[in-house]
Amino acid sequence: MKGCVLRGKLLSLLKNIYPDGIEQTSVVGIYYQLTKVDDILTALEYLTDKKYIIKKENPHPFKNNTIVTYYKISPTGIDLCEGNIEKDPGIVLQIEG
């Protein structure tokens, strides 16, 4: 799957579950059959760097020295999905109709 398409799918997933976020392992579980895990993680970092999603890392509640990573769409990400800001050429969003 092309990176720009994957980034659009990830952003749409996060928009659909807003205001909740999702754990990184769950995102990988949803998309790992479509593409490589490294591609999924790279796409999430891209979206984080562009400020379309928010990444939070918290200590695992039971496992010492383990971090749990969560992602949540940002207001800018919602605006991009809804067409309220200029399109990003690095992200292909599915047209909702």
Side-chain angles (χ1 to χ4, degrees):
M1 178 181 312
K2 286 182 72 172
C4 56
V5 173
L6 176 60
R7 291 188 289 266
K9 287 184 178 294
L10 292 169
L11 205 55
S12 294
L13 168 71
L14 293 170
K15 181 181 178 289
N16 289 335
I17 63 171
Y18 183 81
D20 296 322
I22 189 169
E23 191 177 341
Q24 179 176 290
T25 54
S26 296
V27 175
V28 170
I30 293 168
Y31 291 104
Y32 82 96
Q33 291 180 326
L34 303 175
T35 191
K36 298 179 207 168
V37 172
D38 286 344
D39 292 344
I40 298 167
L41 298 177
T42 299
L44 288 167
E45 287 303 316
Y46 176 93
L47 293 169
T48 301
D49 289 345
K50 295 281 271 194
K51 309 283 190 248
Y52 295 130
I53 64 175
I54 301 162
K55 176 181 177 179
K56 290 188 179 181
E57 296 179 321
N58 298 317
H60 192 283
F62 308 114
K63 297 180 183 177
N64 291 335
N65 301 320
T66 303
I67 299 295
V68 180
T69 304
Y70 294 91
Y71 294 95
K72 180 178 175 178
I73 194 167
S74 70
T76 305
I78 293 172
D79 286 342
L80 179 68
C81 289
E82 293 178 350
N84 298 328
I85 60 173
E86 188 175 328
K87 291 181 181 179
D88 187 316
I91 301 171
V92 174
L93 294 166
Q94 299 293 325
I95 298 171
E96 296 178 13

